[in-house]
């Protein structure tokens, strides 16, 4: 069976406690991190349809739908636990092999993020 070279995963926005500008209690942040990581893992497993990928190198693009514009550097940092969840699912062998493309943002009523990964070569 051949594996796809591109996969897109639609997710809710990461938890507010994980935003770089948030200042929550450390336990609230720890619980939010765990929740985000598990959410990304479960959604990735569903998208992978039982296949194991284990990509060592990939290009990642994140497209946010938000009610208002936000700083792109903060948005990139906000996704950290989602990348870890994709690694937990086995889509990536390690998230350090990701090459991140610039984040794009559109305004919309239903907030969320679409992560598109393209398998890369070593």
């Amino acid at each position: 069976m051949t594996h796809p070279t591109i996969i897109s995963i639609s997710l809710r926005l990461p938890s507010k406690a994980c935003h770089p500008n948030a200042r929550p209690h450390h336990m609230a942040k720890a619980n939010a991190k765990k929740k985000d990581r598990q959410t990304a893992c479960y959604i990735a497993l569903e998208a992978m349809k039982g296949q194991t990928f284990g990509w060592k190198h990939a290009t990642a693009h994140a497209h946010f739908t938000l009610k208002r514009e936000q700083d792109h550097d903060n948005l990139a940092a906000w996704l950290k636990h989602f990348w870890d969840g994709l690694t937990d699912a086995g889509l990536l062998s390690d998230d350090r092999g990701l090459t991140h493309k610039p984040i794009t943002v559109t305004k919309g009523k239903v907030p969320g993020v679409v992560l598109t990964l393209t398998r890369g070569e070593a």
Side-chain angles (χ1 to χ4, degrees), residues 17 21 29 39 59 63 68 83 91 97:
N21 291 337
K29 187 168 186 173
T39 298
T59 302
H63 179 79
R68 62 179 181 83
W83 301 127
L91 178 60

Side-chain angles (χ1 to χ4, degrees), residues 41-62:
C41 180
Y42 296 145
I43 301 287
L45 286 170
E46 188 175 300
M48 291 164 52
K49 298 180 174 129
Q51 300 178 39
T52 49
F53 287 53
W55 292 349
K56 291 183 181 183
H57 301 280
T59 302
H61 175 255

Side-chain angles (χ1 to χ4, degrees), residues 58-62 83 86 92 98-103 115-118:
T59 302
H61 175 255
W83 301 127
L86 299 182
L92 305 168
L98 281 177
T99 301
H100 297 275
K101 287 187 173 182
I103 288 175
L115 305 177
T116 304
L117 289 97
T118 306

Side-chain angles (χ1 to χ4, degrees), residues 2-21:
T2 61
H3 296 292
T5 57
I6 298 175
I7 189 165
S8 288
I9 300 169
S10 295
L11 296 158
R12 60 164 175 75
L13 289 179
S15 303
K16 288 183 181 183
C18 292
H19 194 279
N21 291 337

Side-chain angles (χ1 to χ4, degrees), residues 17-89:
C18 292
H19 194 279
N21 291 337
R23 301 292 181 259
H25 185 272
H26 66 91
M27 284 308 298
K29 187 168 186 173
N31 289 332
K33 285 180 186 180
K34 181 178 178 183
K35 179 180 160 188
D36 285 352
R37 192 170 179 153
Q38 287 177 338
T39 298
C41 180
Y42 296 145
I43 301 287
L45 286 170
E46 188 175 300
M48 291 164 52
K49 298 180 174 129
Q51 300 178 39
T52 49
F53 287 53
W55 292 349
K56 291 183 181 183
H57 301 280
T59 302
H61 175 255
H63 179 79
F64 282 86
T65 303
L66 301 168
K67 293 181 181 177
R68 62 179 181 83
E69 186 73 25
Q70 291 191 29
D71 179 32
H72 289 210
D73 288 338
N74 286 340
L75 293 176
W78 204 16
L79 292 174
K80 173 62 180 141
H81 311 295
F82 280 172
W83 301 127
D84 292 338
L86 299 182
T87 302
D88 294 344

